[in-house]
Amino acid sequence: MTSRAPVDTCVLNSDAPWDEFDPSAYLAQNYRDLLDVDAEILSLMRDHFSRHFADQAERPILGIDIGAGANLYPALAMLPWCEEITLFERAPKNVGYLQEQCDGLDPDWDAFWKVLCESKPYADIDGERTERFHQTVRVEEGNLFELGRRGLFGGPATRGKWQMGTMFFVAESISTSHKEFRQAVRCFMRSLAPGAPFAAAFMEGSRGYDVGNRHFPACDVDEAQVKQSLRKFAGEIETKRLGEVSHMVRPGHTGIILAYGKRNQGRRS
Ligand SMILES: C[S@@+](CC[C@H](N)C(=O)[O-])C[C@H]1O[C@@H](n2cnc3c(N)ncnc32)[C@H](O)[C@@H]1O
C-alpha cells in the first residue's frame, strides 16, 4: 500500500472514494498469493478460535466480518463455528465481489484455507467448505459507524448481536482521523456479545494506500494505540506486532498488528 497524499491532509471516512474501490486491483495487490504475514496471522487466529471453542459447549451462531472488502480469510476462519456470517461492507464493488464469492468460492482462497486446516475443526469440514460458505455467508452493505447501537428511536439493535467477529485492516485504513479510528474500533467491539472471541488486524504506520489508480486514507497507529483503543471493550486481549522484513511486502507501512481476545461483559462499555 503506497504513500502518496500529503500526510497532514485530513480525509474523513465520508470523504474517501469508496464507490471507486476496485476489488480486482486490491486482490491482485494483496491476496493473489499467500504471503508469510497472512499465513502467520491465519495461524494465530485459527489457534485462538480453536482454543476458545475447545471447551465451550455452546457454539455461536452469528459471526461478523466488518469491512470485509475483498478478503475472505477472516470469514473462512469463523466458518466451523457459525450458522450465519455477515460480511459487512460499504463499497458497492466489494459488495458485488463478496456476493459472487458466496455463489462460488474462488480457488485462490485454497492456500489460505490450507493453513486453517492444520487445526481439526477446519479439517473436519474440509470437504464441504464451499457448500458451507455458500449456506453460511451473507453480505450486507452498510456503514460500520452505524453498528453497535442500542436500538433506540426505532433503529435496529446491533449492540451485542454477534457472537464472534473479525475486522481486518479497517479501523486505521478508512480515514486519516484518529478519532474515527477509535470510533470504528468501538463500533466493532460494541457489535459483539459478552465473551465473544474476536480478531482484528491493523496496518502500523500507514500513511494511506493506493488501489488501482485511486488513493485511500489511513491513520498512523502503533501497537500501544491499538491496545488502548480495545482495552475498554476486551476482557482478554493479546497483541502481536509483525514487523520483520518478510512482513513488509505491502509498501507504505511499518508493520502489521494483530489483536485477539474476548469481548468483556460490556455492561458499561
Ligand atoms: C483496507 S480495506 C480492508 C479490506 C479487508 N478487510 C482486508 O482485510 O483486506 C478497508 C475496507 O473497509 C471498507 N470500508 C470503508 N469505510 C467503511 C465503512 N464506513 N463501513 C464499512 N466498511 C467500510 C472499504 O470499502 C474496504 O473494503
Side-chain angles (χ1 to χ4, degrees), residues 108-130:
D108 281 354
W109 295 104
D110 288 355
F112 296 79
W113 178 253
K114 213 169 150 201
V115 178
L116 294 169
C117 277
E118 286 168 35
S119 173
K120 191 170 181 304
Y122 301 90
D124 285 349
I125 60 163
D126 188 24
E128 62 198 74
R129 67 179 184 280
T130 304

Side-chain angles (χ1 to χ4, degrees), residues 63-69 71-75 78 85-89 98 138 140 147 162 164-168 170 188 199:
I64 187 165
D65 181 38
I66 296 184
N71 181 7
L72 298 187
Y73 80 67
M78 292 190 277
I85 298 173
T86 300
L87 301 185
F88 194 85
E89 171 54 48
L98 294 169
R138 58 183 284 276
E140 188 174 332
L147 285 176
W162 286 277
M164 183 175 198
T166 52
M167 184 169 73
F168 270 52
V170 175
F188 168 55

Side-chain angles (χ1 to χ4, degrees), residues 242-263:
L242 308 165
E244 309 302 317
V245 175
S246 62
H247 295 142
M248 308 295 290
V249 279
R250 297 177 184 119
H253 66 287
T254 53
I256 285 177
I257 300 150
L258 180 71
Y260 51 96
K262 282 187 208 180
R263 173 79 164 107

Side-chain angles (χ1 to χ4, degrees), residues 224-261:
Q225 286 166 309
V226 165
K227 224 172 186 159
Q228 180 60 30
S229 70
L230 285 159
R231 192 167 282 132
K232 186 175 167 205
F233 307 100
E236 289 170 26
I237 176 167
E238 296 258 351
T239 56
K240 171 129 176 118
R241 178 178 180 270
L242 308 165
E244 309 302 317
V245 175
S246 62
H247 295 142
M248 308 295 290
V249 279
R250 297 177 184 119
H253 66 287
T254 53
I256 285 177
I257 300 150
L258 180 71
Y260 51 96

Side-chain angles (χ1 to χ4, degrees), residues 13 26 31 67-69 71 89 91 94 143-144 168-169 174 209:
N13 182 248
Y26 187 76
Y31 301 119
N71 181 7
E89 171 54 48
N94 286 343
N143 185 344
L144 72 83
F168 270 52
F169 310 121
I174 57 173
Y209 57 101

